């Protein structure tokens, strides 16, 4: 769905590059926390190089057509002084902010204290506006020291803090046996995990829904990549790279709307005549996305990325991160084969922090 172009590299070489409209930064590492300077420098230079994790082949990614960026992070604080650049370039964004609380259990030793991360969340909302910072508690992990009750208590504590700062809570159940790297990391780090089953998932979902209602959070609850259907609790399947959000925040961007195959329409009010005793209501399609009192959008295509997991609802984007580069070093990490590999690549990056590849070489 993206076009290709020719670019000149930092070394003066003419190469072919992808030109994604939507960039994901990133599912495979925490770019905002550790590589924000690198990313924004590469954005200014116009391209970066992504390494295919399966065959090691380099792929040049040009940002000349980029209209929207989805950031993923456990500590996006470094974005605060960089977001104005995106506004200058008319590039939209929102942030998938993973805000967990595993401090007592030591599962995320590399992230800042919870109080600081909550403060960062609120500062980003003040900067970007409500709706553009999405709370993720991901993954929900059961261990010999973490029960469903414990998880609900920690979610409640954070939810009370974020009540007026976010519209959505996205979560997933840790599916450890299905992810070889996750299982290996937990086993290596001596974490006695327990798998979720359908009964425990339903119990958690039911109780979370009750908390959301009783505490008057009114969050939209959603799962990420989960097969189980728990819509009876008001919990939907999420699109983390979400065209509905992009339409909501970027409907004035014609390039983006054309790419997403979206028609933006004004509601036509029929003027009353002398012979009318009421005003006829405007006809709005059932699948319309309301943007404001006088504007709505209609999607003409399903933009789902067929290359993602079966139960992932994300739309097409280009992820520009790289595995084995996140120095958060979470005990359950799915993106690092080992802590040693992540630290080694982080150190390589620091030797050439503006290089075309995230690891600097």
């Amino acid at each position: 769905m993206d076009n290709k172009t020719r670019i000149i590299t930092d070394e003066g070489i003419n190469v072919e590059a992808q030109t994604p409209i939507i960039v994901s930064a990133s599912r495979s590492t925490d770019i905002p926390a550790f590589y924000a300077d690198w990313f924004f420098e590469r954005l200014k230079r116009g391209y970066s190089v992504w390494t295919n994790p399966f065959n090691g082949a380099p792929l040049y990614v040009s940002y000349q057509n980029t209209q929207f960026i989805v950031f993923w992070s456990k500590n996006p604080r470094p974005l605060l002084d960089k977001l104005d650049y995106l506004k200058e370039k008319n590039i939209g964004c929102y942030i998938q902010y993973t805000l967990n609380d595993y401090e007592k259990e030591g599962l995320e030793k590399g992230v800042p204290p919870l109080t600081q991360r909550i403060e960062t969340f609120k500062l980003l909302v003040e900067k970007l506006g409500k709706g553009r910072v999405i709370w993720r508690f991901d993954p929900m992990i059961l261990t010999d020291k973490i029960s469903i009750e414990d998880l609900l208590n920690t979610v409640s504590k954070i939810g009370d803090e974020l009540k007026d700062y976010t519209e959505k809570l996205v979560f997933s159940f840790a599916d450890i046996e299905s992810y070889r790297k996750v299982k290996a990391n937990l086993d290596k780090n001596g974490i006695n995990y327990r798998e979720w089953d359908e009964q425990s998932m339903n119990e958690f979902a039911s109780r979370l829904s009750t908390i959301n209602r009783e505490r008057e959070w009114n969050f939209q609850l959603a799962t990420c990549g989960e097969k189980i259907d728990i819509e009876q609790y008001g919990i939907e399947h999420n699109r983390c790279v979400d065209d509905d959000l992009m339409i909501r925040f970027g409907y004035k961007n014609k390039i983006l709307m054309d790419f997403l195959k979206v028609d933006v329409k004004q509601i036509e009010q029929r003027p009353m005549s002398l012979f009318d005793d009421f005003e006829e209501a405007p006809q709005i399609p059932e699948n319309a996305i309301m943007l404001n009192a006088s504007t709505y959008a209609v999607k003409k295509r399903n933009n789902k990325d067929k290359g993602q997991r079966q139960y992932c609802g994300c739309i097409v984007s280009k992820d520009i991160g790289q595995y084995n580069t996140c120095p958060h070093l979470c005990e359950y990490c799915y993106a690092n084969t080992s802590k040693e590999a992540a630290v080694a690549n982080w150190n390589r990056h620091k030797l050439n922090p503006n290089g075309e590849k995230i690891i600097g070489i």
Side-chain angles (χ1 to χ4, degrees):
M1 295 176 69
D2 292 320
N3 295 322
K4 293 185 178 181
T5 190
R6 306 294 300 188
I7 63 170
I8 304 299
T9 69
D10 293 346
E11 291 75 31
I13 303 172
N14 187 301
V15 298
E16 184 179 73
Q18 280 191 1
T19 59
I21 301 292
I22 300 166
V23 167
S24 168
S26 156
R27 292 183 181 93
S28 52
T29 193
D30 197 326
I31 285 177
F34 299 105
Y35 303 100
D37 288 342
W38 169 82
F39 175 68
F40 278 84
E41 176 62 26
R42 296 316 308 179
L43 197 61
K44 291 172 184 176
R45 295 195 192 190
Y47 83 99
S48 63
V49 175
W50 174 78
T51 302
N52 189 309
F54 299 105
N55 58 22
L59 175 72
Y60 290 85
V61 180
S62 166
Y63 300 115
Q64 68 181 40
N65 292 339
T66 298
Q67 305 296 313
F68 210 98
I69 300 169
V70 179
F71 291 107
W72 312 66
S73 185
K74 289 183 176 178
N75 179 29
R77 199 176 188 96
L79 293 180
L80 281 168
D81 65 352
K82 301 181 185 303
L83 294 171
D84 288 339
Y85 178 77
L86 298 183
K87 189 174 181 179
E88 291 172 13
K89 297 297 181 181
N90 197 33
I91 298 174
C93 77
Y94 63 79
I95 302 170
Q96 294 281 353
Y97 192 161
T98 300
L99 188 55
N100 302 336
D101 180 11
Y102 293 121
E103 285 188 344
K104 181 176 66 176
E105 297 81 10
L107 296 183
E108 298 177 339
K109 297 173 184 175
V111 301
L114 178 62
T115 53
Q116 181 179 321
R117 287 179 283 137
I118 290 173
E119 178 189 52
T120 296
F121 196 106
K122 294 177 180 180
L123 289 172
L124 286 165
V125 172
E126 291 172 5
K127 184 83 172 178
L128 290 171
K130 189 175 178 180
R132 289 182 184 260
V133 188
I134 297 153
W135 176 28
R136 302 176 70 87
F137 199 117
D138 182 24
M140 297 286 179
I141 299 178
L142 294 175
T143 73
D144 57 344
K145 298 178 181 179
I146 305 175
S147 65
I148 290 178
E149 189 73 30
D150 294 327
L151 288 172
L152 290 167
N153 286 337
T154 56
V155 169
S156 296
K157 180 171 63 175
I158 299 174
D160 287 343
E161 288 280 353
L162 300 184
K163 176 180 177 181
D164 298 320
Y165 290 88
T166 192
E167 300 172 347
K168 179 182 278 191
L169 166 56
V170 180
F171 65 94
S172 68
F173 301 108
D175 186 8
I176 296 164
E177 293 293 337
S178 299
Y179 289 87
R180 185 171 55 187
K181 282 193 286 189
V182 175
K183 184 179 186 305
N185 284 329
L186 287 173
D187 289 341
K188 183 178 179 180
N189 296 317
I191 308 299
N192 297 315
Y193 63 86
R194 294 185 289 126
E195 288 283 2
W196 291 87
D197 57 25
E198 189 168 334
Q199 180 179 349
S200 57
M201 289 181 193
N202 273 282
E203 178 188 347
F204 180 88
S206 174
R207 294 179 65 185
L208 177 61
S209 179
T210 299
I211 291 170
N212 186 40
R213 182 180 64 255
E214 290 181 346
R215 291 179 181 253
E216 298 182 346
W217 293 343
N218 299 316
F219 295 153
Q220 181 182 359
L221 302 178
T223 58
C224 175
E226 293 291 347
K227 175 182 179 180
I228 189 169
D229 185 352
I230 46 180
E231 290 187 1
Q232 67 266 35
Y233 309 115
I235 301 173
E236 63 184 33
H237 296 284
N238 199 51
R239 288 195 301 274
C240 300
V241 181
D242 186 350
D243 49 356
D244 283 4
L245 277 179
M246 294 176 197
I247 293 165
R248 175 181 167 188
F249 298 129
Y251 70 91
K252 295 180 181 179
N253 184 325
K254 188 176 186 306
I255 296 173
L256 180 63
M257 294 301 99
D258 287 348
F259 174 76
L260 295 174
K261 299 297 182 186
V262 171
D263 283 340
V264 178
K265 297 180 178 293
Q266 297 296 312
I267 298 174
E268 296 183 5
Q269 297 284 354
R270 187 168 71 91
M272 292 183 67
S273 73
L274 294 174
F275 305 101
D276 289 332
D277 56 3
F278 64 91
E279 185 175 358
E280 185 177 300
Q283 297 300 308
I284 301 173
E286 289 185 6
N287 62 338
I289 300 170
M290 295 304 301
L291 302 171
N292 55 49
S294 62
T295 312
Y296 66 91
V298 177
K299 289 189 289 187
K300 299 183 291 183
R301 170 178 76 192
N302 183 348
N303 293 303
K304 178 177 166 57
D305 185 352
K306 297 179 181 178
Q308 294 297 329
R309 296 168 295 164
Q310 181 179 358
Y311 300 104
C312 173
C314 288
I315 70 163
V316 172
S317 64
K318 178 69 192 91
D319 197 291
I320 50 93
Q322 186 171 326
Y323 291 113
N324 290 315
T325 61
C326 183
H328 277 317
L329 307 180
C330 300
E331 305 300 315
Y332 55 81
C333 185
Y334 73 89
N336 291 337
T337 303
S338 70
K339 294 179 181 179
E340 293 76 14
V343 171
N345 281 327
W346 171 235
N347 289 331
R348 291 188 186 99
H349 165 81
K350 288 186 285 187
L351 295 174
N352 185 18
N354 295 322
E356 58 185 17
K357 293 182 180 179
I358 200 168
I359 59 171
I361 58 173

